[in-house]
PDB file of all heavy atoms in Angstrom:
ATOM      1  N   VAL A   1      42.417 193.023  61.515  1.00 60.00           N
ATOM      2  CA  VAL A   1      43.263 192.959  60.334  1.00 60.00           C
ATOM      3  C   VAL A   1      43.949 194.302  60.206  1.00 60.00           C
ATOM      4  O   VAL A   1      43.244 195.322  60.234  1.00 60.00           O
ATOM      5  CB  VAL A   1      42.465 192.691  59.003  1.00 60.00           C
ATOM      6  CG1 VAL A   1      43.328 192.825  57.812  1.00 60.00           C
ATOM      7  CG2 VAL A   1      41.848 191.240  59.106  1.00 60.00           C
ATOM      8  N   THR A   2      45.290 194.336  60.038  1.00 63.00           N
ATOM      9  CA  THR A   2      46.029 195.542  60.070  1.00 63.00           C
ATOM     10  C   THR A   2      46.882 195.660  58.752  1.00 63.00           C
ATOM     11  O   THR A   2      47.551 194.674  58.397  1.00 63.00           O
ATOM     12  CB  THR A   2      46.904 195.687  61.257  1.00 63.00           C
ATOM     13  OG1 THR A   2      46.117 195.712  62.465  1.00 63.00           O
ATOM     14  CG2 THR A   2      47.834 196.921  61.266  1.00 63.00           C
ATOM     15  N   LEU A   3      46.831 196.796  58.108  1.00 61.00           N
ATOM     16  CA  LEU A   3      47.791 197.140  57.020  1.00 61.00           C
ATOM     17  C   LEU A   3      48.860 198.016  57.674  1.00 61.00           C
ATOM     18  O   LEU A   3      48.567 199.118  58.139  1.00 61.00           O
ATOM     19  CB  LEU A   3      47.021 197.875  55.890  1.00 61.00           C
ATOM     20  CG  LEU A   3      47.882 198.367  54.764  1.00 61.00           C
ATOM     21  CD1 LEU A   3      48.527 197.147  54.017  1.00 61.00           C
ATOM     22  CD2 LEU A   3      47.061 199.149  53.790  1.00 61.00           C
ATOM     23  N   ALA A   4      50.110 197.444  57.687  1.00 67.00           N
ATOM     24  CA  ALA A   4      51.191 198.181  58.271  1.00 67.00           C
ATOM     25  C   ALA A   4      52.334 198.328  57.299  1.00 67.00           C
ATOM     26  O   ALA A   4      52.529 197.590  56.353  1.00 67.00           O
ATOM     27  CB  ALA A   4      51.700 197.383  59.483  1.00 67.00           C
ATOM     28  N   VAL A   5      53.112 199.367  57.482  1.00 66.00           N
ATOM     29  CA  VAL A   5      54.265 199.689  56.669  1.00 66.00           C
ATOM     30  C   VAL A   5      55.533 199.689  57.538  1.00 66.00           C
ATOM     31  O   VAL A   5      55.522 200.362  58.607  1.00 66.00           O
ATOM     32  CB  VAL A   5      54.119 201.091  55.956  1.00 66.00           C
ATOM     33  CG1 VAL A   5      55.408 201.347  55.149  1.00 66.00           C
ATOM     34  CG2 VAL A   5      52.862 201.112  55.136  1.00 66.00           C
ATOM     35  N   ILE A   6      56.525 198.918  57.226  1.00 73.00           N
ATOM     36  CA  ILE A   6      57.736 198.874  57.956  1.00 73.00           C
ATOM     37  C   ILE A   6      58.611 200.096  57.612  1.00 73.00           C
ATOM     38  O   ILE A   6      58.932 200.339  56.408  1.00 73.00           O
ATOM     39  CB  ILE A   6      58.609 197.563  57.668  1.00 73.00           C
ATOM     40  CG1 ILE A   6      57.660 196.328  57.909  1.00 73.00           C
ATOM     41  CG2 ILE A   6      59.762 197.516  58.545  1.00 73.00           C
ATOM     42  CD1 ILE A   6      57.118 196.247  59.301  1.00 73.00           C
ATOM     43  N   GLU A   7      58.994 200.842  58.621  1.00 73.00           N
ATOM     44  CA  GLU A   7      59.818 202.079  58.381  1.00 73.00           C
ATOM     45  C   GLU A   7      60.983 202.049  59.378  1.00 73.00           C
ATOM     46  O   GLU A   7      60.862 202.468  60.530  1.00 73.00           O
ATOM     47  CB  GLU A   7      58.974 203.297  58.604  1.00 73.00           C
ATOM     48  CG  GLU A   7      57.805 203.467  57.549  1.00 73.00           C
ATOM     49  CD  GLU A   7      57.014 204.645  57.742  1.00 73.00           C
ATOM     50  OE1 GLU A   7      56.957 205.232  58.849  1.00 73.00           O
ATOM     51  OE2 GLU A   7      56.281 205.103  56.791  1.00 73.00           O
ATOM     52  N   GLY A   8      62.130 201.502  58.922  1.00 74.00           N
ATOM     53  CA  GLY A   8      63.292 201.454  59.792  1.00 74.00           C
ATOM     54  C   GLY A   8      63.083 200.471  60.922  1.00 74.00           C
ATOM     55  O   GLY A   8      62.837 199.328  60.771  1.00 74.00           O
ATOM     56  N   THR A   9      63.188 201.021  62.158  1.00 78.00           N
ATOM     57  CA  THR A   9      63.083 200.202  63.358  1.00 78.00           C
ATOM     58  C   THR A   9      61.618 200.222  63.920  1.00 78.00           C
ATOM     59  O   THR A   9      61.450 199.778  65.070  1.00 78.00           O
ATOM     60  CB  THR A   9      64.059 200.711  64.425  1.00 78.00           C
ATOM     61  OG1 THR A   9      63.751 202.089  64.737  1.00 78.00           O
ATOM     62  CG2 THR A   9      65.486 200.642  63.931  1.00 78.00           C
ATOM     63  N   GLU A  10      60.669 200.716  63.198  1.00 75.00           N
ATOM     64  CA  GLU A  10      59.342 200.660  63.705  1.00 75.00           C
ATOM     65  C   GLU A  10      58.373 200.422  62.514  1.00 75.00           C
ATOM     66  O   GLU A  10      58.806 200.429  61.367  1.00 75.00           O
ATOM     67  CB  GLU A  10      58.978 202.026  64.339  1.00 75.00           C
ATOM     68  CG  GLU A  10      59.106 203.192  63.408  1.00 75.00           C
ATOM     69  CD  GLU A  10      58.858 204.554  64.118  1.00 75.00           C
ATOM     70  OE1 GLU A  10      58.862 204.515  65.405  1.00 75.00           O
ATOM     71  OE2 GLU A  10      58.613 205.498  63.457  1.00 75.00           O
ATOM     72  N   TYR A  11      57.143 200.068  62.880  1.00 67.00           N
ATOM     73  CA  TYR A  11      56.151 199.959  61.827  1.00 67.00           C
ATOM     74  C   TYR A  11      54.982 200.991  62.042  1.00 67.00           C
ATOM     75  O   TYR A  11      54.746 201.310  63.197  1.00 67.00           O
ATOM     76  CB  TYR A  11      55.631 198.506  61.656  1.00 67.00           C
ATOM     77  CG  TYR A  11      54.700 198.042  62.777  1.00 67.00           C
ATOM     78  CD1 TYR A  11      53.339 198.243  62.705  1.00 67.00           C
ATOM     79  CD2 TYR A  11      55.208 197.320  63.882  1.00 67.00           C
ATOM     80  CE1 TYR A  11      52.460 197.770  63.656  1.00 67.00           C
ATOM     81  CE2 TYR A  11      54.389 196.865  64.832  1.00 67.00           C
ATOM     82  CZ  TYR A  11      53.040 197.075  64.748  1.00 67.00           C
ATOM     83  OH  TYR A  11      52.211 196.652  65.753  1.00 67.00           O
ATOM     84  N   ARG A  12      54.459 201.391  60.930  1.00 67.00           N
ATOM     85  CA  ARG A  12      53.353 202.325  61.002  1.00 67.00           C
ATOM     86  C   ARG A  12      52.026 201.613  60.644  1.00 67.00           C
ATOM     87  O   ARG A  12      51.900 201.066  59.564  1.00 67.00           O
ATOM     88  CB  ARG A  12      53.586 203.545  60.088  1.00 67.00           C
ATOM     89  CG  ARG A  12      52.419 204.571  60.057  1.00 67.00           C
ATOM     90  CD  ARG A  12      52.873 205.832  59.341  1.00 67.00           C
ATOM     91  NE  ARG A  12      53.408 205.581  57.985  1.00 67.00           N
ATOM     92  CZ  ARG A  12      52.584 205.510  56.915  1.00 67.00           C
ATOM     93  NH1 ARG A  12      51.255 205.731  57.058  1.00 67.00           N
ATOM     94  NH2 ARG A  12      53.068 205.313  55.690  1.00 67.00           N
ATOM     95  N   ARG A  13      51.058 201.644  61.529  1.00 65.00           N
ATOM     96  CA  ARG A  13      49.812 201.003  61.260  1.00 65.00           C
ATOM     97  C   ARG A  13      48.961 201.969  60.426  1.00 65.00           C
ATOM     98  O   ARG A  13      48.452 203.052  60.890  1.00 65.00           O
ATOM     99  CB  ARG A  13      49.102 200.713  62.661  1.00 65.00           C
ATOM    100  CG  ARG A  13      47.836 199.949  62.480  1.00 65.00           C
ATOM    101  CD  ARG A  13      47.197 199.647  63.844  1.00 65.00           C
ATOM    102  NE  ARG A  13      47.916 198.615  64.516  1.00 65.00           N
ATOM    103  CZ  ARG A  13      48.636 198.778  65.653  1.00 65.00           C
ATOM    104  NH1 ARG A  13      48.737 200.017  66.147  1.00 65.00           N
ATOM    105  NH2 ARG A  13      49.248 197.800  66.242  1.00 65.00           N
ATOM    106  N   VAL A  14      48.768 201.599  59.140  1.00 61.00           N
ATOM    107  CA  VAL A  14      48.029 202.522  58.302  1.00 61.00           C
ATOM    108  C   VAL A  14      46.537 202.511  58.561  1.00 61.00           C
ATOM    109  O   VAL A  14      45.861 203.557  58.680  1.00 61.00           O
ATOM    110  CB  VAL A  14      48.253 202.088  56.801  1.00 61.00           C
ATOM    111  CG1 VAL A  14      47.423 202.985  55.853  1.00 61.00           C
ATOM    112  CG2 VAL A  14      49.791 202.148  56.472  1.00 61.00           C
ATOM    113  N   ILE A  15      46.070 201.290  58.671  1.00 59.00           N
ATOM    114  CA  ILE A  15      44.577 201.067  59.026  1.00 59.00           C
ATOM    115  C   ILE A  15      44.367 199.753  59.664  1.00 59.00           C
ATOM    116  O   ILE A  15      45.099 198.753  59.373  1.00 59.00           O
ATOM    117  CB  ILE A  15      43.750 201.233  57.701  1.00 59.00           C
ATOM    118  CG1 ILE A  15      42.276 201.052  57.998  1.00 59.00           C
ATOM    119  CG2 ILE A  15      44.213 200.184  56.684  1.00 59.00           C
ATOM    120  CD1 ILE A  15      41.624 202.227  58.804  1.00 59.00           C
ATOM    121  N   SER A  16      43.498 199.733  60.634  1.00 63.00           N
ATOM    122  CA  SER A  16      43.098 198.481  61.253  1.00 63.00           C
ATOM    123  C   SER A  16      41.570 198.299  61.174  1.00 63.00           C
ATOM    124  O   SER A  16      40.838 199.271  61.415  1.00 63.00           O
ATOM    125  CB  SER A  16      43.553 198.453  62.737  1.00 63.00           C
ATOM    126  OG  SER A  16      44.920 198.324  62.878  1.00 63.00           O
ATOM    127  N   ILE A  17      41.194 197.122  60.873  1.00 61.00           N
ATOM    128  CA  ILE A  17      39.778 196.820  60.748  1.00 61.00           C
ATOM    129  C   ILE A  17      39.455 195.621  61.673  1.00 61.00           C
ATOM    130  O   ILE A  17      40.147 194.619  61.703  1.00 61.00           O
ATOM    131  CB  ILE A  17      39.327 196.453  59.300  1.00 61.00           C
ATOM    132  CG1 ILE A  17      39.482 197.703  58.435  1.00 61.00           C
ATOM    133  CG2 ILE A  17      37.905 195.926  59.230  1.00 61.00           C
ATOM    134  CD1 ILE A  17      39.117 197.535  57.008  1.00 61.00           C
ATOM    135  N   SER A  18      38.387 195.780  62.462  1.00 63.00           N
ATOM    136  CA  SER A  18      38.040 194.731  63.389  1.00 63.00           C
ATOM    137  C   SER A  18      37.084 193.741  62.770  1.00 63.00           C
ATOM    138  O   SER A  18      36.367 194.039  61.784  1.00 63.00           O
ATOM    139  CB  SER A  18      37.337 195.300  64.628  1.00 63.00           C
ATOM    140  OG  SER A  18      38.243 196.209  65.316  1.00 63.00           O
ATOM    141  N   GLY A  19      37.089 192.529  63.324  1.00 60.00           N
ATOM    142  CA  GLY A  19      36.150 191.501  62.839  1.00 60.00           C
ATOM    143  C   GLY A  19      34.705 191.851  63.244  1.00 60.00           C
ATOM    144  O   GLY A  19      34.427 192.809  64.049  1.00 60.00           O
ATOM    145  N   ALA A  20      33.781 191.054  62.797  1.00 55.00           N
ATOM    146  CA  ALA A  20      32.369 191.290  63.028  1.00 55.00           C
ATOM    147  C   ALA A  20      32.088 191.269  64.525  1.00 55.00           C
ATOM    148  O   ALA A  20      32.574 190.420  65.310  1.00 55.00           O
ATOM    149  CB  ALA A  20      31.553 190.160  62.353  1.00 55.00           C
ATOM    150  N   GLY A  21      31.397 192.291  64.906  1.00 45.00           N
ATOM    151  CA  GLY A  21      30.952 192.396  66.315  1.00 45.00           C
ATOM    152  C   GLY A  21      32.004 192.892  67.246  1.00 45.00           C
ATOM    153  O   GLY A  21      31.844 192.930  68.474  1.00 45.00           O
ATOM    154  N   ARG A  22      33.121 193.326  66.731  1.00 45.00           N
ATOM    155  CA  ARG A  22      34.232 193.844  67.592  1.00 45.00           C
ATOM    156  C   ARG A  22      34.494 195.328  67.270  1.00 45.00           C
ATOM    157  O   ARG A  22      34.295 195.729  66.124  1.00 45.00           O
ATOM    158  CB  ARG A  22      35.489 192.993  67.419  1.00 45.00           C
ATOM    159  CG  ARG A  22      35.337 191.553  67.668  1.00 45.00           C
ATOM    160  CD  ARG A  22      36.597 190.800  67.362  1.00 45.00           C
ATOM    161  NE  ARG A  22      36.569 189.396  67.534  1.00 45.00           N
ATOM    162  CZ  ARG A  22      36.770 188.753  68.659  1.00 45.00           C
ATOM    163  NH1 ARG A  22      37.104 189.424  69.752  1.00 45.00           N
ATOM    164  NH2 ARG A  22      36.631 187.437  68.753  1.00 45.00           N
ATOM    165  N   SER A  23      34.945 196.024  68.238  1.00 43.00           N
ATOM    166  CA  SER A  23      35.356 197.405  68.055  1.00 43.00           C
ATOM    167  C   SER A  23      36.826 197.567  67.889  1.00 43.00           C
ATOM    168  O   SER A  23      37.576 196.778  68.493  1.00 43.00           O
ATOM    169  CB  SER A  23      34.839 198.306  69.147  1.00 43.00           C
ATOM    170  OG  SER A  23      35.423 197.817  70.403  1.00 43.00           O
ATOM    171  N   SER A  24      37.291 198.466  67.092  1.00 51.00           N
ATOM    172  CA  SER A  24      38.694 198.642  66.838  1.00 51.00           C
ATOM    173  C   SER A  24      39.405 199.131  68.077  1.00 51.00           C
ATOM    174  O   SER A  24      38.919 200.049  68.778  1.00 51.00           O
ATOM    175  CB  SER A  24      38.975 199.631  65.739  1.00 51.00           C
ATOM    176  OG  SER A  24      40.323 199.875  65.535  1.00 51.00           O
ATOM    177  N   SER A  25      40.521 198.483  68.428  1.00 52.00           N
ATOM    178  CA  SER A  25      41.271 198.863  69.600  1.00 52.00           C
ATOM    179  C   SER A  25      42.592 199.565  69.331  1.00 52.00           C
ATOM    180  O   SER A  25      43.340 199.836  70.232  1.00 52.00           O
ATOM    181  CB  SER A  25      41.527 197.621  70.539  1.00 52.00           C
ATOM    182  OG  SER A  25      42.215 196.612  69.773  1.00 52.00           O
ATOM    183  N   PHE A  26      42.892 199.754  68.041  1.00 54.00           N
ATOM    184  CA  PHE A  26      44.169 200.315  67.607  1.00 54.00           C
ATOM    185  C   PHE A  26      43.854 201.581  66.859  1.00 54.00           C
ATOM    186  O   PHE A  26      43.059 201.621  65.871  1.00 54.00           O
ATOM    187  CB  PHE A  26      44.975 199.356  66.750  1.00 54.00           C
ATOM    188  CG  PHE A  26      45.335 198.120  67.427  1.00 54.00           C
ATOM    189  CD1 PHE A  26      44.782 196.926  66.997  1.00 54.00           C
ATOM    190  CD2 PHE A  26      46.139 198.060  68.514  1.00 54.00           C
ATOM    191  CE1 PHE A  26      45.094 195.695  67.619  1.00 54.00           C
ATOM    192  CE2 PHE A  26      46.456 196.897  69.179  1.00 54.00           C
ATOM    193  CZ  PHE A  26      45.915 195.702  68.704  1.00 54.00           C
ATOM    194  N   PRO A  27      44.594 202.725  67.168  1.00 58.00           N
ATOM    195  CA  PRO A  27      44.441 203.940  66.348  1.00 58.00           C
ATOM    196  C   PRO A  27      45.203 203.786  65.078  1.00 58.00           C
ATOM    197  O   PRO A  27      46.236 203.202  64.967  1.00 58.00           O
ATOM    198  CB  PRO A  27      45.094 204.971  67.287  1.00 58.00           C
ATOM    199  CG  PRO A  27      46.085 204.204  68.070  1.00 58.00           C
ATOM    200  CD  PRO A  27      45.455 202.862  68.299  1.00 58.00           C
ATOM    201  N   ASP A  28      44.601 204.381  63.995  1.00 60.00           N
ATOM    202  CA  ASP A  28      45.258 204.403  62.677  1.00 60.00           C
ATOM    203  C   ASP A  28      46.483 205.302  62.737  1.00 60.00           C
ATOM    204  O   ASP A  28      46.548 206.292  63.540  1.00 60.00           O
ATOM    205  CB  ASP A  28      44.317 204.902  61.620  1.00 60.00           C
ATOM    206  CG  ASP A  28      43.143 203.985  61.427  1.00 60.00           C
ATOM    207  OD1 ASP A  28      43.219 202.774  61.913  1.00 60.00           O
ATOM    208  OD2 ASP A  28      42.127 204.369  60.829  1.00 60.00           O
ATOM    209  N   ASP A  29      47.458 204.965  61.949  1.00 65.00           N
ATOM    210  CA  ASP A  29      48.690 205.786  61.757  1.00 65.00           C
ATOM    211  C   ASP A  29      49.565 205.770  62.978  1.00 65.00           C
ATOM    212  O   ASP A  29      50.446 206.595  63.159  1.00 65.00           O
ATOM    213  CB  ASP A  29      48.415 207.206  61.346  1.00 65.00           C
ATOM    214  CG  ASP A  29      49.421 207.701  60.306  1.00 65.00           C
ATOM    215  OD1 ASP A  29      49.807 206.976  59.422  1.00 65.00           O
ATOM    216  OD2 ASP A  29      49.753 208.897  60.402  1.00 65.00           O
ATOM    217  N   GLU A  30      49.339 204.808  63.844  1.00 69.00           N
ATOM    218  CA  GLU A  30      50.155 204.667  65.058  1.00 69.00           C
ATOM    219  C   GLU A  30      51.537 204.096  64.659  1.00 69.00           C
ATOM    220  O   GLU A  30      51.589 203.207  63.782  1.00 69.00           O
ATOM    221  CB  GLU A  30      49.445 203.746  66.044  1.00 69.00           C
ATOM    222  CG  GLU A  30      50.278 203.390  67.339  1.00 69.00           C
ATOM    223  CD  GLU A  30      49.631 202.385  68.200  1.00 69.00           C
ATOM    224  OE1 GLU A  30      48.905 201.509  67.686  1.00 69.00           O
ATOM    225  OE2 GLU A  30      49.875 202.403  69.415  1.00 69.00           O
ATOM    226  N   ARG A  31      52.570 204.547  65.340  1.00 71.00           N
ATOM    227  CA  ARG A  31      53.908 204.017  65.088  1.00 71.00           C
ATOM    228  C   ARG A  31      54.360 203.167  66.267  1.00 71.00           C
ATOM    229  O   ARG A  31      54.228 203.628  67.447  1.00 71.00           O
ATOM    230  CB  ARG A  31      54.907 205.157  64.831  1.00 71.00           C
ATOM    231  CG  ARG A  31      54.665 205.965  63.580  1.00 71.00           C
ATOM    232  CD  ARG A  31      55.604 207.142  63.371  1.00 71.00           C
ATOM    233  NE  ARG A  31      55.274 207.892  62.168  1.00 71.00           N
ATOM    234  CZ  ARG A  31      55.680 207.565  60.949  1.00 71.00           C
ATOM    235  NH1 ARG A  31      56.493 206.540  60.767  1.00 71.00           N
ATOM    236  NH2 ARG A  31      55.294 208.309  59.924  1.00 71.00           N
ATOM    237  N   VAL A  32      54.850 201.952  65.949  1.00 69.00           N
ATOM    238  CA  VAL A  32      55.198 201.004  67.041  1.00 69.00           C
ATOM    239  C   VAL A  32      56.608 200.517  66.813  1.00 69.00           C
ATOM    240  O   VAL A  32      56.931 200.031  65.679  1.00 69.00           O
ATOM    241  CB  VAL A  32      54.170 199.849  67.037  1.00 69.00           C
ATOM    242  CG1 VAL A  32      54.524 198.881  68.135  1.00 69.00           C
ATOM    243  CG2 VAL A  32      52.748 200.340  67.192  1.00 69.00           C
ATOM    244  N   PRO A  33      57.469 200.509  67.850  1.00 72.00           N
ATOM    245  CA  PRO A  33      58.794 199.985  67.704  1.00 72.00           C
ATOM    246  C   PRO A  33      58.734 198.457  67.406  1.00 72.00           C
ATOM    247  O   PRO A  33      57.909 197.758  67.944  1.00 72.00           O
ATOM    248  CB  PRO A  33      59.482 200.178  69.007  1.00 72.00           C
ATOM    249  CG  PRO A  33      58.660 201.349  69.633  1.00 72.00           C
ATOM    250  CD  PRO A  33      57.282 201.143  69.133  1.00 72.00           C
ATOM    251  N   LEU A  34      59.636 198.088  66.462  1.00 69.00           N
ATOM    252  CA  LEU A  34      59.661 196.584  66.133  1.00 69.00           C
ATOM    253  C   LEU A  34      60.301 195.758  67.247  1.00 69.00           C
ATOM    254  O   LEU A  34      59.853 194.616  67.477  1.00 69.00           O
ATOM    255  CB  LEU A  34      60.475 196.422  64.821  1.00 69.00           C
ATOM    256  CG  LEU A  34      59.704 196.760  63.530  1.00 69.00           C
ATOM    257  CD1 LEU A  34      60.693 196.706  62.367  1.00 69.00           C
ATOM    258  CD2 LEU A  34      58.584 195.832  63.222  1.00 69.00           C
ATOM    259  N   GLU A  35      61.287 196.322  67.913  1.00 73.00           N
ATOM    260  CA  GLU A  35      61.947 195.593  68.938  1.00 73.00           C
ATOM    261  C   GLU A  35      61.015 195.093  70.055  1.00 73.00           C
ATOM    262  O   GLU A  35      60.301 195.937  70.619  1.00 73.00           O
ATOM    263  CB  GLU A  35      63.160 196.395  69.537  1.00 73.00           C
ATOM    264  CG  GLU A  35      63.980 195.596  70.471  1.00 73.00           C
ATOM    265  CD  GLU A  35      65.183 196.391  71.013  1.00 73.00           C
ATOM    266  OE1 GLU A  35      65.317 197.568  70.550  1.00 73.00           O
ATOM    267  OE2 GLU A  35      65.914 195.887  71.898  1.00 73.00           O
TER     268      GLU A  35
END
């Protein structure tokens, strides 16, 4: 589950939380192009 903020042509991943028994594979505050 990811809380993301859209900023122009990219989104910023504020926080990601993994389901039970899983480890997080995404760094927080990562910026990802929308395209």
Side-chain angles (χ1 to χ4, degrees):
V1 173
T2 297
L3 176 62
V5 177
I6 307 300
E7 297 178 339
T9 59
E10 60 185 17
Y11 72 88
R12 176 168 57 88
R13 186 178 287 111
V14 179
I15 180 69
S16 289
I17 293 181
S18 299
R22 301 177 185 272
S23 58
S24 178
S25 55
F26 299 114
D28 295 343
D29 219 37
E30 179 186 25
R31 294 179 182 273
V32 181
L34 283 171
E35 186 177 356

